[in-house]
Structure formats: C-alpha cells, structure tokens
Amino acid sequence: MSTTRPATQTRQEVDKTKRFVFVLLDNFTMLCFAAALESLRIANRMAGREVYSWRIIGEGGDFITCSAGTGFKLDGDLEELNRDDVVMLCGGIDVQAASTKRLLGWLRRESRKGLPVAGLCTAAYTLAKAGLLDGKRATIHWENQDSFAEEFQEVELTKSVFVVDDKRLTTAGGTSSIDLMLKLIANDTDEQLANAVADQLIYSSIRTDQDTQRLSVPTRIGVRHPKLSQVIQIMEQNIEEPISPSILAKDVGMSTRQLERLFRRYLNRSPKRYYMELRLQKARNLLMQTDMSVINVALACGFASPSHFSKCYRAHYDTTPYRERGTHAARLSI
C-alpha cells in the first residue's frame, strides 16, 4: 500500500486538528477501542495531513488492563478537557464496577462544556449512569440490552449498530466503532475520505444507524423457515408476558400441533421449552448485570412466583438465582 500520496482530498482544509480523547475503563474491550483509533490513524494517512489527533487517558493515569488481559500505558489521568475535544469512553466487561463515582463526576463536569461524548460498547452504561443519556436515544451491546432497559427507563434504547443523538454517541460494540467513526469522518471531511478509510480496513459493508446489531433470526438459529422465524421474533418481544403456544400458532396461521412439529423438526425442542430458555437467558443477564431483586427479575421474565422461577432456573443452569446473584454481586458495586 503506497503512502506517497493521499487517496482523497477533503472538502475543505480544516485549520485546527480535531482531538479525540479516549477514556479507557478497566476491562475495556480492545476491539472497540482499536477499531476507533485505527480509523482515525488511517484517515490521517489517506488525507495526507493530520485531520485528527488523540490522547488516551483513564482513572489513575498510569496503567490499565483490557478484557483480554493486555496492559496499556495511559497518557494521563482524568483531566480537564478542551471545549472542542471529542470524548470516547471505551467499556467492556464489568462496566458497573468500572463506572466509579470519580469517573461519573468527571464526566458530568466535562460534559457541561458542551463537547461530544461517546460510549463505545458497554460504556453507554457509564453515560446513562452519569445522567448524560436522559431523554436521549442510545444503543448498547445486545447482551446488555435487557439490564440497561430495566435500569435506565428514561433512555430511549434502540437495537441499532450506533446512535448519534445530538452530542451523545453510543455504539453496540465490536466493529460498530468503525461504522460510527466512518460517519464522523464523512461529516468532518467528505464521503470520499470515509470510503478510503473503509477500503483500507477491508470494510466492505458500511452500516448506518438504521442497521440493527444482531444477526437475523434465521441466521442465528441456522434455519430459514419464515413461520418459525416469525414465532421466535414474537417470543423475543414478549418475555415479560409470555404468549401460549396455541396463540402463537394462530398468529402465524398454524395449528398448535403443526407448531409443535415445526419446533421439534428444526430445533429439537418444544415451543414451550424454547420459550422458557429465552426467558431464563434474559433472567441470567439481569441477575449478572443489575442489582434487581430476584423477585423483580422473575417478574420481568414472566414468572408468577419466585419458587417456580428458582425451580426452572436450577433445572436449566444447575444453580439457583440466589446463588447466581451472590456469585456476581461484587461486579455490581461501584
């Protein structure tokens, strides 16, 4: 790849280089950080000038470890920022514990300057905890959606790959950082530079904020049957108040017996069993990611009584909800 000349010219020369300040949270996901940073580096290279600069900071200002166990030397501690900086929080595992009181206070103070603040991957949790997403649209990794929706009901949560709502930006994690950065690069310069960056990244399917983050139901289950996919979508959308197999069958124009055969043939389980597994998966996410009581988790997942919930949970996960909560309680403290 030649580095002798830029692949594109920007729409207009910008007098001042835009600075991105990456704030790494403990146990951050390396992919979301690297994807964003590399997009900026390549943008500079393809433009043939320093369109962007960056600084990497974090609480303590010395050393931080990502979720893969690799350590990173920071450029500095949580510091006073310039009004034209762009803040990029990078989250990952145990984001609740990483969202410390000091970090939340720093975020609230710096956001009053009116600068853009982004939450990559699970860092949307940190923004919401600081009150910066109240009344805003946002997204977060699909695995954290259930717990986020329960805790931050004042935030309009979407399933989008990324969301830009005024000066609040959030991504779903993973490669969605690239999609967000390409949009920002296009806004700052032009589409040609953003496309040149995508080409360098071998990123051939650029997504917009209209794209959803999860694979389609047929792709996820490995079965392309329209009525089966339709039933599973209805199940996923009705966890708190489960729908009976007879009504599910009627909704897609089948008999209950036909629906049973369909699930047995393609998924080797009954509709009732598959539905139960979806509800228990949501329950496990809530137990591990929130401080909701076991009773409230049970209700949120369509169980009328804690005893029935506990029985079903133990049969599936070989432990009780109370033990699961005890195992992960330390993760929830700030």
Side-chain angles (χ1 to χ4, degrees), residues 80-334:
E80 188 171 348
L81 304 179
N82 302 321
R83 292 183 180 276
D84 51 359
D85 286 339
V86 181
V87 181
M88 307 289 281
L89 263 73
C90 300
I93 296 174
D94 297 346
V95 68
Q96 294 93 340
S99 303
T100 64
K101 290 182 179 179
R102 181 173 179 240
L103 175 63
L104 297 177
W106 177 84
L107 268 175
R108 295 183 187 110
R109 184 176 66 253
E110 294 300 321
S111 68
R112 294 189 193 108
K113 297 176 180 177
L115 41 75
V117 182
L120 307 185
C121 195
T122 60
Y125 173 92
T126 311
L127 297 189
K129 195 71 175 176
L132 303 188
L133 294 180
D134 290 358
K136 302 286 187 182
R137 294 175 63 252
T139 191
I140 196 170
H141 191 280
W142 61 265
E143 195 174 39
N144 301 83
Q145 290 242 335
D146 292 334
S147 58
F148 188 99
E150 291 288 343
E151 187 167 353
F152 304 110
Q153 297 182 15
E154 62 278 16
V155 181
E156 185 183 339
L157 186 63
T158 77
K159 298 182 184 296
S160 300
V161 172
F162 69 87
V163 172
V164 177
D165 190 340
D166 194 17
K167 293 188 176 182
R168 299 293 177 262
L169 302 77
T170 49
T171 75
T175 57
S176 63
S177 291
I178 298 176
D179 301 294
L180 174 62
M181 301 311 291
L182 292 176
K183 178 177 177 60
L184 296 181
I185 291 167
N187 290 346
D188 292 338
T189 57
D190 56 30
E191 292 284 349
Q192 193 177 355
L193 179 58
N195 290 338
V197 173
D199 277 344
Q200 289 295 311
L201 290 166
I202 320 296
Y203 201 67
S204 56
S205 299
I206 303 173
R207 297 169 294 184
T208 71
D209 56 0
Q210 299 302 308
D211 290 302
T212 55
Q213 54 183 280
R214 294 203 72 181
L215 297 173
S216 65
V217 171
T219 304
R220 267 190 281 140
I221 65 175
V223 176
R224 294 194 176 277
H225 191 292
K227 290 193 175 182
L228 180 62
S229 298
Q230 190 178 350
V231 170
I232 290 174
Q233 281 184 317
I234 295 171
M235 288 177 172
E236 291 178 344
Q237 293 165 2
N238 294 273
I239 298 293
E240 189 168 348
E241 296 182 7
I243 301 171
S244 69
S246 60
I247 294 176
L248 287 170
K250 185 178 180 181
D251 285 345
V252 297
M254 301 178 73
S255 69
T256 304
R257 181 168 291 185
Q258 286 174 319
L259 184 66
E260 289 276 350
R261 285 202 298 262
L262 189 64
F263 268 78
R264 290 289 182 188
R265 177 182 176 184
Y266 289 109
L267 299 174
N268 197 32
R269 52 176 61 81
S270 68
K272 185 176 180 181
R273 183 66 219 170
Y274 188 89
Y275 210 165
M276 175 65 72
E277 290 172 1
L278 288 178
R279 292 160 59 199
L280 290 171
Q281 179 59 61
K282 176 176 178 177
R284 190 165 190 264
N285 286 341
L286 293 177
L287 288 168
M288 294 173 67
Q289 299 171 12
T290 75
D291 57 0
M292 291 173 62
S293 68
V294 171
I295 293 174
N296 285 337
V297 168
L299 293 174
C301 298
F303 294 92
S305 71
S307 59
H308 182 226
F309 171 49
S310 185
K311 179 181 177 181
C312 295
Y313 197 95
R314 182 166 191 164
H316 189 63
Y317 289 114
D318 199 28
T319 187
T320 68
Y322 297 93
R323 287 175 184 165
E324 192 86 87
R325 165 50 50 74
T327 301
H328 297 278
R331 292 184 177 186
L332 305 174
S333 60
I334 292 178

